[in-house]
Amino acid sequence: MSSVDVKARMNAIGVLKEKFKIILDQIQRGEKPILVMPKRVLSNTIYDEKNKMLLLGPDVLRRSLIDVNEARKFMQTLLMASIIYEALVNNEYPTIRDLYYRGKHSIGYRDVDGKMVHENTWDEQKESDSVIRDLEVFMNVLREEMLILSKEKGKVVGNLVIRSGDDTIDLSKMGHGAYSIEPTPDLVEFKDVDAEYVLVVEKDAVFQQLHRYGFWRKYRAILVTSAGQPDRATRRFVRRLNEELKLPVYVLTDSDPYGFYIYSVFKIGSITLSYESERLATPNARFIGVSMTDVFGDEVFRKVLDEVKEVGGFTRTTLGKLKKKPYLSESERRNYVIKAKQRDVERAVELVGYDVADKCVESSELRSKLKKKEGLTGYPWFRTPDWVRELCIFFKTLNKLEIEAMASKGLKFLADTYIPSKIEGGDWID
Amino acid sequence: MSSVDVKARMNAIGVLKEKFKIILDQIQRGEKPILVMPKRVLSNTIYDEKNKMLLLGPDVLRRSLIDVNEARKFMQTLLMASIIYEALVNNEYPTIRDLYYRGKHSIGYRDVDGKMVHENTWDEQKESDSVIRDLEVFMNVLREEMLILSKEKGKVVGNLVIRSGDDTIDLSKMGHGAYSIEPTPDLVEFKDVDAEYVLVVEKDAVFQQLHRYGFWRKYRAILVTSAGQPDRATRRFVRRLNEELKLPVYVLTDSDPYGFYIYSVFKIGSITLSYESERLATPNARFIGVSMTDVFGDEVFRKVLDEVKEVGGFTRTTLGKLKKKPYLSESERRNYVIKAKQRDVERAVELVGYDVADKCVESSELRSKLKKKEGLTGYPWFRTPDWVRELCIFFKTLNKLEIEAMASKGLKFLADTYIPSKIEGGDWID
């Protein structure tokens, strides 16, 4: 076992002991055992506009053993804590899936009538996962810090030397392959870096292309891929590159609501998991594309504004100049764009709110289909002039575009024209 | 660009020129241009029982320009060949997705009545992908050898030093992370190895656990994960480890029909893509588990045999001794097994054939649901005593088990008891 792991184990064991000593003290004092922890609910989630961060609010919940409504949850929490403790002292590396199995069993007891009854500790993994989240919040540690492992998709290459486990690894010497980020990225030590920025690419295949082309060497970038929806380790790794190495982070995704959402997960996190976002999100990550204006320019949105005067609270005046040219010619656009699916449109409404869809969607049939989403007001960080414009163009055209379409204009175009001009020209969304 | 890439480019360009010179010669001789290539269809797929390999049979198809039924396919083939050629000479690294975009456009022409008509080169990626496969078969090169990249999930760690691109990489020095296999694994050079076998783990999370535990160091193994369904590069990499380094390959998956299928993809490949299996499959890969007999022992199957005397053509006599003990206790089994879903059962019928399900499934209701699969005779390589027994136990119990359940008995159990005892005891399925 590596020395960093030994240290991490000691830390986690210390926090567990300290935090659960409370229960012991309560019992010794003859009090009812109660766990007090921040409430992990939407109503207790605050978007800190200034720091662009999701935070847990001040509400707490009390989980008591002597309360029929809470006894089960109380016991689950203690069961999970003890399983994690056991794993830590036994030099284990559990996954959330096997923690579920480790704790899964039936407890037999006699009810008030003396009849034998069996109750399961938990039935489904979502129950045990929820308890792990409670513990993360209660102890203010991430599960990774308790050496709970998980599958990990993120990869990285670039002029960066790290120390992981007992090895020193030069991420510029990976050949045509790449370095798979470890599931416990807080244990990585950054030894040496020679880079100007971090480029995070949604798609693994595009990462492979840029890597092979030598993009990161030429432009002194750290090249990362999340291979789709980013997992926790990739998000934490990117956050640390930004926070500790002071490298700006640019995110490159498909031009569709799912791509925009992936960017949002890197930048802000998930609204229902705000506690983890405090550590995993990169609030100043920038979206460099592919944007709808890269595909369509500003013409589409200008026309909408001429008709409706105001979208999402923004007018011609509050939006400033609109004179961006697209990166694609008329015929390229015709060949490359893909028709949006219903789920794309619905995801877009979730991001920016129903009112923007209502203003920008042309078809009254589609609009009536979206009525069920009428209550949605969108995420605050998508209610900005830039994103309202982006999503309005999406609603108007009902088109999307993949990064691969940009690469099909030639990898040189993607690597030497599109990405550098977006970054150097400051043509990103913050 | 690395020197191996330059060399690979030259090779591919050479083969393309040579193969398509045929067309040029035909035209110069005043003949009709015709491409002749092996037929990529099920009826032309042969399972070579002795070498445990899927091979393309002797049937060929002739694709002629001067035939209204074939002109479109002929043109598509030439279009794709020219796009790949352009990419090769321009130092590009396309993906199959951007090859689709590169070729996608409308061709305008006047029909017999002088009316302008437009036809698309191709509409969906499955069309352009199919043409790429045709080219692989026609030229007898894999797309990876034409430097066509793709996303890549496979990872590896162990006492293996490779050369990739211009770098020499020690796969025992990856810290807690891992080495991501490159999309062009034929360009990897094996420099030095100190290992006794290759362990391929289906699940990335279990790979992470075994890696962190130091499994590969302790047991001198090369540890690979396919992270689910294996992609081509992972399969080719594993095949090369087996073929060139003479390392036995053991595959560890969930105990369910999908896990068995993943093993089958490593070992034999996909029956509809036999031409790639010749290069990507590892015919002597061994399935070490988790097997149904590891979970249930032999008792279940013995009972079935007592009742029906014969399953899948096998009797007590042809099956030999049945006295295996399970690795799980009665109560562990109760806590860990998961109920099979309908799609698991259907997949199992595909693997082993309807007759085995018919013999082993207890519920007449389920059996009637499976009637639509009645015609299925199973894959020849699953019609062996060992696999018939495995799948019969599955049909009988309708249970499955994940590897994580084994890990939940303690990582030490998985790493130091289960895996070594399976390998040392020869308790695998070949």
Side-chain angles (χ1 to χ4, degrees):
Chain A
M1 207 189 324
S2 73
S3 50
V4 263
D5 275 10
V6 176
K7 211 176 131 197
R9 253 174 227 290
M10 288 303 129
N11 281 344
I13 289 170
V15 177
L16 263 165
K17 277 187 173 166
E18 186 203 316
K19 280 290 189 172
F20 281 91
K21 197 171 167 298
I22 298 166
I23 300 284
L24 209 68
D25 292 345
Q26 287 166 343
I27 293 168
Q28 281 173 342
R29 287 197 302 266
E31 296 169 9
K32 295 174 192 162
I34 288 178
L35 290 167
V36 181
M37 60 182 81
K39 261 193 188 159
R40 287 191 300 107
V41 290
L42 202 54
S43 61
N44 192 35
T45 300
I46 296 161
Y47 178 59
D48 175 349
E49 197 97 29
K50 191 166 153 279
N51 296 306
K52 290 185 181 161
M53 276 226 160
L54 284 169
L55 302 170
L56 275 184
D59 297 357
V60 295
L61 62 82
R62 279 160 229 282
R63 197 163 276 171
S64 165
L65 172 64
I66 318 295
D67 181 326
V68 277
N69 293 318
E70 293 167 14
R72 184 178 156 88
K73 270 278 187 190
F74 181 93
M75 293 304 291
Q76 285 180 337
T77 313
L78 260 68
L79 173 64
M80 185 56 86
S82 71
I83 296 168
I84 293 175
Y85 181 82
E86 285 297 318
L88 283 166
V89 297
N90 286 316
N91 296 328
E92 296 264 351
Y93 296 92
T95 61
I96 54 172
R97 186 73 183 155
D98 80 55
L99 288 173
Y100 157 75
Y101 283 116
R102 280 167 201 235
K104 189 173 173 247
H105 62 271
S106 288
I107 298 167
Y109 62 95
R110 293 194 184 278
D111 67 7
V112 281
D113 305 323
K115 220 180 76 188
M116 200 64 193
V117 192
H118 284 91
E119 181 141 10
N120 289 341
T121 48
W122 41 65
D123 292 303
E124 286 180 49
Q125 197 188 335
K126 67 180 178 193
E127 275 187 278
S128 60
D129 283 357
S130 169
V131 175
I132 295 170
R133 285 197 200 102
D134 287 343
L135 286 173
E136 289 186 284
V137 173
F138 175 61
M139 304 200 298
N140 195 28
V141 292
L142 294 179
R143 64 177 195 232
E144 290 82 358
E145 295 173 282
M146 299 186 272
L147 296 174
I148 298 169
L149 305 185
S150 54
K151 69 176 173 189
E152 180 43 46
K153 295 181 301 175
K155 297 176 192 177
V156 55
V157 281
N159 290 322
L160 176 65
V161 179
I162 63 168
R163 187 148 178 96
S164 167
D166 292 326
D167 299 323
T168 300
I169 306 147
D170 185 342
L171 304 186
S172 71
K173 302 276 181 221
M174 291 290 129
H176 298 148
Y179 185 68
S180 282
I181 297 167
E182 68 175 86
T184 49
D186 270 296
L187 304 186
V188 170
E189 194 187 328
F190 297 134
K191 303 288 280 186
D192 194 21
V193 65
D194 175 27
E196 297 200 354
Y197 61 84
V198 177
L199 180 67
V200 180
V201 184
E202 168 194 356
K203 281 183 161 161
D204 189 285
V206 178
F207 169 90
Q208 302 285 357
Q209 291 185 289
L210 290 172
H211 174 27
R212 204 64 166 255
Y213 187 73
F215 177 86
W216 56 268
R217 207 180 287 276
K218 193 164 174 183
Y219 294 97
R220 294 178 59 230
I222 309 282
L223 194 63
V224 174
T225 182
S226 59
Q229 274 295 340
D231 48 44
R232 289 167 54 126
T234 310
R235 289 161 62 199
R236 178 70 190 146
F237 190 81
V238 168
R239 157 74 167 265
R240 288 192 59 207
L241 289 175
N242 176 253
E243 193 170 53
E244 295 167 37
L245 303 180
K246 310 291 176 213
L247 295 173
V249 169
Y250 300 99
V251 181
L252 178 67
T253 74
D254 284 344
S255 190
D256 62 27
Y258 278 82
F260 305 156
Y261 182 69
I262 284 174
Y263 162 69
S264 163
V265 171
F266 271 111
K267 188 182 181 73
I268 309 286
S270 157
I271 201 156
T272 51
L273 292 172
S274 54
Y275 75 97
E276 58 171 50
S277 298
E278 289 178 39
R279 297 277 300 279
L280 306 185
T282 307
N284 47 21
R286 294 156 175 169
F287 177 78
I288 59 159
V290 179
S291 69
M292 285 284 154
T293 43
D294 291 342
V295 181
F296 292 97
D298 269 329
E299 211 184 299
V300 176
F301 187 57
R302 220 164 37 222
K303 277 187 192 157
V304 175
L305 267 187
D306 286 345
E307 269 172 45
V308 300
K309 308 299 173 208
E310 172 270 317
V311 178
F314 302 106
T315 62
R316 276 303 282 269
T317 322
T318 48
L319 282 165
K321 282 178 200 162
L322 291 175
K323 51 166 194 180
K324 210 186 123 148
K325 278 197 191 131
Y327 279 87
L328 297 178
S329 70
E330 184 60 42
S331 74
E332 284 170 338
R333 191 154 58 226
R334 202 173 43 237
N335 286 327
Y336 296 164
V337 294
I338 305 173
K339 279 202 180 63
K341 298 209 169 76
Q342 177 71 16
R343 64 187 194 110
D344 292 311
V345 187
E346 290 180 5
R347 172 49 58 105
V349 175
E350 284 161 30
L351 299 184
V352 79
Y354 177 77
D355 61 329
V356 176
D358 187 47
K359 281 271 167 71
C360 304
V361 162
E362 251 178 82
S363 137
S364 54
E365 193 196 324
L366 178 60
R367 205 180 278 125
S368 75
K369 268 194 204 162
L370 291 175
K371 274 286 176 191
K372 61 184 171 197
K373 300 263 172 193
E374 204 168 359
L376 296 181
T377 55
Y379 299 132
W381 54 93
F382 276 106
R383 298 288 294 186
T384 63
D386 283 340
W387 280 115
V388 166
R389 182 175 55 213
E390 284 296 311
L391 287 154
C392 182
I393 299 172
F394 170 77
F395 286 125
K396 182 81 180 172
T397 61
L398 296 176
N399 278 328
K400 54 185 188 170
L401 185 111
E402 293 186 303
I403 323 174
E404 283 93 334
M406 286 288 182
S408 79
K409 278 174 67 103
L411 196 45
K412 279 189 192 66
F413 169 76
L414 179 67
D416 293 332
T417 302
Y418 180 73
I419 299 172
S421 81
K422 295 283 293 184
I423 291 178
E424 285 156 28
D427 185 16
W428 61 67
I429 302 181
D430 206 351
Chain B
M1 205 190 321
S2 71
S3 49
V4 263
D5 275 9
V6 175
K7 211 175 131 198
R9 251 173 230 290
M10 288 302 129
N11 280 343
I13 290 170
V15 176
L16 264 164
K17 277 188 174 164
E18 185 202 317
K19 280 291 190 172
F20 282 90
K21 196 173 166 295
I22 298 166
I23 300 285
L24 208 67
D25 292 346
Q26 288 166 341
I27 293 169
Q28 280 173 340
R29 285 197 302 267
E31 296 168 9
K32 296 174 192 164
I34 288 178
L35 290 166
V36 181
M37 59 182 82
K39 260 193 189 162
R40 287 193 297 108
V41 290
L42 203 55
S43 60
N44 192 35
T45 299
I46 296 161
Y47 178 59
D48 175 350
E49 196 97 30
K50 190 167 153 276
N51 297 305
K52 290 186 181 162
M53 275 227 161
L54 284 170
L55 302 170
L56 275 185
D59 296 357
V60 295
L61 62 81
R62 279 160 231 281
R63 197 162 277 171
S64 166
L65 172 63
I66 316 297
D67 182 326
V68 277
N69 293 318
E70 294 167 13
R72 184 180 156 89
K73 270 278 188 189
F74 181 92
M75 293 304 291
Q76 285 180 337
T77 313
L78 260 67
L79 172 64
M80 184 56 86
S82 71
I83 296 169
I84 293 173
Y85 182 81
E86 284 296 317
L88 284 166
V89 297
N90 287 316
N91 296 328
E92 296 264 350
Y93 296 92
T95 62
I96 54 172
R97 184 76 182 152
D98 79 54
L99 288 173
Y100 157 75
Y101 283 116
R102 280 167 201 234
K104 189 172 172 249
H105 62 272
S106 289
I107 298 166
Y109 61 96
R110 296 197 182 277
D111 67 8
V112 280
D113 304 324
K115 222 180 77 189
M116 199 66 194
V117 191
H118 284 91
E119 181 142 10
N120 289 341
T121 48
W122 41 65
D123 291 304
E124 287 180 49
Q125 197 189 332
K126 66 179 180 198
E127 274 186 279
S128 59
D129 282 358
S130 168
V131 175
I132 295 170
R133 286 198 200 102
D134 287 342
L135 286 172
E136 289 186 283
V137 173
F138 176 61
M139 304 199 298
N140 195 26
V141 292
L142 294 179
R143 64 176 194 232
E144 289 82 357
E145 296 172 281
M146 299 185 272
L147 296 174
I148 297 170
L149 305 185
S150 54
K151 69 176 172 187
E152 182 40 47
K153 296 181 300 175
K155 297 177 192 175
V156 55
V157 282
N159 289 323
L160 175 65
V161 178
I162 62 168
R163 187 147 179 96
S164 167
D166 292 328
D167 299 323
T168 300
I169 306 148
D170 185 343
L171 303 186
S172 72
K173 302 276 181 222
M174 290 290 130
H176 298 149
Y179 185 68
S180 283
I181 298 167
E182 68 177 84
T184 50
D186 270 296
L187 304 186
V188 171
E189 195 187 328
F190 298 134
K191 302 289 282 184
D192 194 21
V193 65
D194 176 27
E196 297 198 356
Y197 61 85
V198 178
L199 180 67
V200 180
V201 184
E202 168 193 355
K203 281 184 161 161
D204 189 286
V206 178
F207 169 89
Q208 301 285 355
Q209 293 184 288
L210 291 172
H211 174 25
R212 203 65 166 253
Y213 186 72
F215 177 86
W216 56 268
R217 207 180 286 276
K218 193 163 174 185
Y219 295 96
R220 293 180 56 231
I222 308 283
L223 194 63
V224 173
T225 182
S226 59
Q229 274 294 341
D231 48 45
R232 290 167 52 126
T234 310
R235 290 162 60 199
R236 179 69 191 147
F237 191 81
V238 168
R239 157 74 168 267
R240 288 193 58 206
L241 289 175
N242 177 252
E243 193 170 54
E244 296 168 36
L245 302 180
K246 311 292 175 212
L247 295 172
V249 169
Y250 300 100
V251 181
L252 178 67
T253 73
D254 284 344
S255 189
D256 63 27
Y258 278 82
F260 306 157
Y261 182 69
I262 284 174
Y263 162 69
S264 161
V265 171
F266 270 111
K267 188 182 181 73
I268 309 287
S270 157
I271 201 155
T272 51
L273 292 172
S274 53
Y275 75 96
E276 58 171 49
S277 298
E278 290 179 37
R279 296 277 301 277
L280 306 184
T282 307
N284 48 20
R286 293 156 176 169
F287 177 78
I288 58 159
V290 180
S291 69
M292 285 284 153
T293 42
D294 291 340
V295 181
F296 293 96
D298 269 329
E299 213 185 298
V300 176
F301 187 57
R302 219 166 34 224
K303 278 188 191 158
V304 175
L305 266 188
D306 286 345
E307 269 173 47
V308 299
K309 308 301 173 206
E310 171 271 317
V311 178
F314 302 107
T315 63
R316 276 302 282 271
T317 323
T318 48
L319 282 164
K321 285 176 196 160
L322 290 176
K323 52 169 194 180
K324 210 186 123 148
K325 277 195 190 135
Y327 279 88
L328 297 178
S329 70
E330 183 60 41
S331 75
E332 283 171 338
R333 191 156 56 227
R334 202 172 43 238
N335 286 326
Y336 297 162
V337 294
I338 305 173
K339 279 201 180 64
K341 298 210 170 75
Q342 177 70 16
R343 63 188 195 110
D344 292 311
V345 187
E346 289 180 5
R347 171 49 60 104
V349 174
E350 283 161 31
L351 299 184
V352 79
Y354 177 77
D355 62 327
V356 176
D358 187 47
K359 281 270 167 72
C360 304
V361 161
E362 252 179 82
S363 138
S364 55
E365 192 196 325
L366 178 59
R367 204 180 281 125
S368 74
K369 267 193 204 163
L370 290 176
K371 275 287 176 191
K372 61 184 171 198
K373 300 263 172 193
E374 205 168 358
L376 295 181
T377 55
Y379 299 131
W381 53 94
F382 276 106
R383 299 288 293 188
T384 64
D386 283 339
W387 280 116
V388 166
R389 182 175 55 213
E390 285 296 311
L391 287 154
C392 182
I393 299 173
F394 171 77
F395 287 125
K396 181 83 179 170
T397 61
L398 295 176
N399 279 327
K400 54 185 189 170
L401 185 111
E402 293 186 304
I403 324 175
E404 282 93 335
M406 287 287 182
S408 80
K409 278 174 69 103
L411 196 46
K412 278 189 192 64
F413 169 76
L414 179 68
D416 293 332
T417 302
Y418 180 72
I419 299 171
S421 82
K422 295 282 293 186
I423 291 178
E424 286 157 27
D427 185 15
W428 62 70
I429 302 180
D430 206 351

